[in-house]
Amino acid sequence: MFYPLIIKLHIIFAGMWLINLAAYPILRSSVVHNKNKSGEKKFIHLYLTFANLFGMIGGLGILVTGMSMVTVNPSYGFFQFTANHWLATKQILMVILLIILGVIIIPTSKKVRAAIGSDFEKNEQLSDNVYNNLNKLFKWNAVINYIVLINFLLAITHNFLVK
């Protein structure tokens, strides 16, 4: 009874991450095309807010429900390389993803958010450092999106790979 609920929540949280994956190029393009234009800060703020909101909720949800599924289902285990290679791969990728988030994405996002401030109506020129940090975010968010896509593909194809 509890396990089907966990699976459904896991799928919903995965969907949030996939929405982030789909919206990423659109939001990135909006930021890039509005560089040095009026409203540039609003697009940067939207990009950061969307990525943070869907990334945090989806990521935390995936982490909690994934750990719950491994704990509840006796055929799964943490980093169990002998039985479920696909799951061990997903778990390793999740650890890599968490490291990237904690070491690169979150600190860089904080720097960009502090640099753009809260007054989006001011039309002041942003520094090269802000653009460098934005490019760093774009690059590492793309890496995260690839990891999410790989994890998603492992999840939906593992039944075909195992048999």
Side-chain angles (χ1 to χ4, degrees):
M1 178 167 98
F2 183 61
Y3 192 72
L5 175 64
I6 295 172
I7 291 174
K8 288 174 186 162
L9 288 172
H10 197 72
I11 291 168
I12 289 168
F13 291 126
M16 290 182 81
W17 258 3
L18 292 175
I19 289 169
N20 200 23
L21 175 101
Y24 166 78
I26 297 164
L27 293 170
R28 182 186 183 279
S29 175
S30 296
V31 171
V32 169
H33 284 93
N34 286 287
K35 183 177 180 179
N36 297 324
K37 294 180 184 173
S38 176
E40 171 186 31
K41 289 182 181 181
K42 288 181 184 178
F43 284 108
I44 293 171
H45 177 73
L46 176 65
Y47 170 77
L48 292 173
T49 301
F50 190 86
N52 284 349
L53 182 65
F54 276 78
M56 284 190 303
I57 294 171
L60 185 60
I62 286 287
L63 185 63
V64 170
T65 57
M67 290 172 58
S68 298
M69 288 186 335
V70 168
T71 304
V72 172
N73 190 332
S75 62
Y76 293 157
F78 290 104
F79 303 102
Q80 188 179 24
F81 294 97
T82 56
N84 298 306
H85 300 80
W86 66 273
L87 183 57
T89 303
K90 284 175 61 66
Q91 292 167 347
I92 290 169
L93 289 172
M94 186 64 167
V95 169
I96 292 168
L97 195 138
L98 291 171
I99 291 169
I100 292 170
L101 283 170
V103 174
I104 300 168
I105 298 288
I106 292 172
T108 307
S109 292
K110 286 181 178 179
K111 289 177 189 173
V112 171
R113 194 173 297 280
I116 65 169
S118 59
D119 186 1
F120 305 126
E121 299 305 319
K122 285 186 181 176
N123 246 356
E124 57 198 22
Q125 180 74 26
L126 296 175
S127 70
D128 287 339
N129 193 35
V130 174
Y131 294 118
N132 290 338
N133 281 326
L134 269 173
N135 286 327
K136 184 178 180 180
L137 278 177
F138 293 153
K139 179 180 83 171
W140 284 103
N141 276 327
V143 169
I144 285 176
N145 285 334
Y146 291 130
I147 292 172
V148 167
L149 183 61
I150 291 167
N151 267 349
F152 176 74
L153 293 173
L154 284 168
I156 63 169
T157 61
H158 77 273
N159 286 329
F160 302 115
L161 299 173
V162 175
K163 296 179 181 178

